[in-house]
Amino acid sequence: MLSIFSGSGKRYILHLEQDKGKLPQLCATSRKIPDILSGVLWSQGFPAILTSGTLKAGNGFSRTRQENGLGKEVRVTEYVAESPFAYEKNCLLYLPQTLQRTKHGSREEAVMLAQHIQRLICSTYGHTLVLFTSYSLMGSVYQILRDSLPFPMVEVWRNAQEEIMRFKTLENAVLFAAGSCWEGVDFPGDIVSSLIIVRLPFAVPDPLREAEKERYATLPEYIRDIIVPDMQKKLRQGFGRAIRTESDTCVVSILDHRAVAGGRYHEDVLCALPACQMAESIEDVEAFIRRQKQEGYYM
């Protein structure tokens, strides 16, 4: 259920939903947050450092400035610290050209994705995190694969830290996850040697985004300035589950035809992620794993 709380020109947006256990969840936000931050913090002249691994979206910080009320500030200095991780050596980005175009949310889509995911899981002998943007799609793919993989499978729904801990204790396991697992979860070493991102993480439309869209003269401008940068930030957060230490190695696969070479968002994807080795065939994925992992990994 969505409703607008119109105390002052529709300033507050209230979102009420139910989780999987039918318990109510209440979220509220204000479209005036940038103005509030500007008035309470930045206009007061206090020195501040804003730091995060995902403040930058694409080629700059304009979206972060806008969200945090810094769009008109002239005193801001931006800096990007280079990562200590050797992505070009230790990470392979797999964008398969063999993805079939299917109807969004259809059974055909779930079957097609399950086939690609199964081949990737077997290529790395488990050790896989599969990130979904849809719990419904996650459940469908999980049901297709649950009896066809020789590796332990764990499915994480909302607020399931115990399942994440169980995944970490299992050998050669596969974790199906969505929601909060896109960020803030640590899987160092060989726990995750294959990260599969099933769809590009575009945000679901909501009243706050609809209000933002009103400020733009055309839809392409809104997509360029809001939708794509938000997707890039979320993609970087998900990508961050792959390489957690300087010695980690991982294959990152994106199973979205819009991300592959020639796809609508291919350049936006590459701009959001660190430079890596690239692959378009599953054979290249298998060769990379053989080169990177010790022989005992396959036992």
Side-chain angles (χ1 to χ4, degrees):
M1 185 179 86
L2 294 172
S3 62
I4 304 298
F5 197 77
S6 55
S8 177
K10 297 185 179 179
R11 290 181 59 186
Y12 300 100
I13 295 173
L14 192 66
H15 185 194
L16 179 64
E17 63 178 21
Q18 290 182 328
D19 64 13
K20 190 180 180 184
K22 302 300 182 182
L23 297 174
Q25 291 184 327
L26 182 65
C27 301
T29 188
S30 169
R31 61 190 295 183
K32 297 294 184 179
I33 286 177
D35 294 335
I36 293 170
L37 288 174
S38 178
V40 173
L41 292 178
W42 318 132
S43 65
Q44 304 302 313
F46 298 121
I49 297 175
L50 308 182
T51 178
S52 170
T54 53
L55 288 180
K56 182 174 176 283
N59 289 316
F61 295 84
S62 59
R63 176 58 173 154
T64 295
R65 280 176 172 252
Q66 181 190 46
E67 288 180 300
N68 291 281
L70 292 166
K72 298 179 181 179
E73 285 287 341
V74 297
R75 298 170 295 127
V76 178
T77 300
E78 300 168 353
Y79 175 74
V80 178
E82 295 299 324
S83 171
F85 301 150
Y87 290 108
E88 291 188 84
K89 175 184 177 183
N90 294 334
C91 187
L92 178 73
L93 180 61
Y94 174 49
L95 303 176
Q97 285 285 350
T98 54
L99 292 169
Q100 297 175 332
R101 297 202 178 194
T102 55
K103 184 179 179 182
H104 199 73
S106 66
R107 173 71 177 178
E108 290 75 17
E109 180 189 36
V111 170
M112 182 272 294
L113 290 170
Q115 292 171 347
H116 282 273
I117 291 169
Q118 181 178 26
R119 181 76 182 272
L120 284 165
I121 290 171
C122 292
S123 296
T124 54
Y125 291 76
H127 303 271
T128 300
L129 169 62
V130 190
L131 284 177
F132 291 82
T133 58
S134 162
Y135 283 103
S136 175
L137 181 60
M138 182 180 78
S140 297
V141 174
Y142 182 88
Q143 291 301 319
I144 294 170
L145 293 177
R146 64 181 303 177
D147 297 322
S148 61
L149 290 174
F151 311 108
M153 294 178 64
V154 179
E155 191 180 22
V156 170
W157 292 81
R158 296 176 178 88
N159 303 320
Q161 288 300 316
E162 65 275 10
E163 292 300 303
I164 294 174
M165 293 305 299
R166 185 165 74 89
F167 167 71
K168 290 183 176 183
T169 64
L170 294 170
E171 293 185 4
N172 296 57
V174 180
L175 180 67
F176 279 51
S180 62
C181 284
W182 279 80
E183 55 186 296
V185 184
D186 197 30
F187 300 109
D190 283 334
I191 297 174
V192 170
S193 294
S194 175
L195 169 65
I196 303 173
I197 295 174
V198 175
R199 286 181 186 159
L200 292 177
F202 287 101
V204 177
D206 59 29
L208 187 61
R209 294 181 184 280
E210 289 300 311
E212 282 188 300
K213 188 165 65 174
E214 294 174 3
R215 302 200 306 263
Y216 290 85
T218 66
L219 181 60
E221 289 178 318
Y222 171 66
I223 292 173
R224 180 196 64 207
D225 291 349
I226 302 296
I227 299 299
V228 170
D230 286 353
M231 179 276 290
Q232 290 175 312
K233 284 187 179 184
K234 190 72 172 181
L235 182 62
R236 284 174 62 86
Q237 288 172 335
F239 179 90
R241 303 315 99 207
I243 304 291
R244 305 300 296 173
T245 73
E246 293 184 16
S247 60
D248 285 357
T249 58
C250 192
V251 174
V252 178
S253 307
I254 303 179
L255 305 183
D256 191 323
H257 66 84
R258 297 169 296 180
V260 305
R264 180 178 180 181
Y265 297 108
H266 178 66
E267 294 301 325
D268 295 312
V269 167
L270 297 187
C271 187
L273 302 179
C276 305
Q277 299 176 56
M278 301 283 293
E280 294 183 347
S281 73
I282 192 67
E283 291 77 18
D284 289 338
V285 172
E286 293 166 346
F288 175 84
I289 291 295
R290 285 195 297 270
R291 289 195 306 269
Q292 294 291 337
K293 303 297 181 179
Q294 299 296 324
E295 187 172 340
Y297 178 83
Y298 298 95
M299 302 301 292

